[in-house]
Amino acid sequence: MERKIVLKKDILDAFNAIGMRDGQTVMVHCSLSSLGFVCGGAQVVIEALMESVGENGTIMMPSQSWKNLDPSSGVHWQEPQEWWQLIRDNWPAYDKNITPTNTMGAVAEMFRRWPGTIRSDHSARSVSAYGRYAKYLTENHDLSNIFGDGSPIGKLYELDGYVLLIGVGYDKNTSLHLADVRANFPGKHNIVESSAIMENGVRVCCVSIWRLRGCICFRPRFADTY
């Protein structure tokens, strides 16, 4: 396949062609590498997103740091079990200003550090948002409510928001988990996970986190995509 250079103008034109408009609230999942050679990398993708929705719009991205979870949950599958207690005792506590994302991609990692972006307090499944509704979307992200009503994904639905998948498939569409929470289906249950957070300047371990176990596989109406 012939390589093509992708300029910021190309990205802006593509966003305009698919219907991005001023004032929209958009959840974005992006694989930068799938776009080819982007001149300016993650920075120009973020700039194009922000310019497309304007000052009245909002951009939200996943900023999950799931390796902060306890090793028993399987997040450090490549490490021997005899190391688990050392990992459990020494893995840095979640700090929304510092903790990097895990496997969220270069765009999401740059976005969570972008000036003016707000990150939610969930120690493993946080989101970051910029714009008009950033504070509303990220505030009060309860550890026991990752993707349900009242979570950032639930609030996105309330705002009649959109989901934009750039170079990724529906398996990366976090908004589908709202349907998981709302629906009843065989095998649905919750499990308890734990991670480390800071409370009053002290690292606190074994904070309980409820996470939905099991999922349903269909395309719900709220998962609008460009």
Side-chain angles (χ1 to χ4, degrees), residues 15 20 28 45-53 59 61 164:
F15 289 166
M20 287 190 74
V28 179
V45 174
I46 296 169
E47 289 175 352
L49 287 166
M50 292 177 174
E51 291 173 24
S52 295
V53 299
I59 298 295
M61 296 189 195
L164 174 59

Side-chain angles (χ1 to χ4, degrees), residues 92-103:
Y94 175 71
D95 182 330
K96 65 182 179 181
N97 296 313
I98 299 175
T99 302
T101 60
N102 298 134
T103 66

Side-chain angles (χ1 to χ4, degrees), residues 36-112:
F37 179 75
V38 179
C39 184
Q43 177 179 337
V44 300
V45 174
I46 296 169
E47 289 175 352
L49 287 166
M50 292 177 174
E51 291 173 24
S52 295
V53 299
E55 293 183 359
N56 294 316
T58 308
I59 298 295
M60 184 166 74
M61 296 189 195
S63 51
Q64 298 183 25
S65 51
W66 44 263
K67 284 200 172 184
N68 189 36
L69 291 170
D70 191 272
S72 62
S73 65
V75 296
H76 294 282
W77 66 90
Q78 71 274 41
E79 311 305 345
Q81 188 169 350
E82 56 265 30
W83 291 5
W84 286 5
Q85 192 58 49
L86 287 171
I87 295 172
R88 187 177 292 124
D89 293 341
N90 291 279
W91 196 268
Y94 175 71
D95 182 330
K96 65 182 179 181
N97 296 313
I98 299 175
T99 302
T101 60
N102 298 134
T103 66
M104 298 294 105
V107 174
E109 174 60 17
M110 177 175 278
F111 181 73
R112 65 107 183 159

Side-chain angles (χ1 to χ4, degrees), residues 69-70 123 143 192-199 203-210:
L69 291 170
D70 191 272
S123 56
L143 294 176
V192 178
E193 296 178 330
S194 62
S195 62
I197 63 172
M198 297 296 292
E199 286 188 350
R203 183 180 185 275
V204 179
C205 300
C206 297
V207 177
S208 294
I209 302 176
W210 289 93

Side-chain angles (χ1 to χ4, degrees), residues 4-21 28 30-53 59 61 107 164-167 226:
K4 180 181 178 181
I5 186 169
V6 179
L7 305 178
K8 181 178 176 180
K9 180 183 182 301
D10 299 322
I11 302 173
L12 284 167
D13 288 346
F15 289 166
N16 181 67
I18 60 175
M20 287 190 74
R21 298 292 182 264
V28 179
C30 179
S31 169
L32 183 65
S33 62
S34 71
L35 302 181
F37 179 75
V38 179
C39 184
Q43 177 179 337
V44 300
V45 174
I46 296 169
E47 289 175 352
L49 287 166
M50 292 177 174
E51 291 173 24
S52 295
V53 299
I59 298 295
M61 296 189 195
V107 174
L164 174 59
L165 305 176
I166 306 175
Y226 294 107

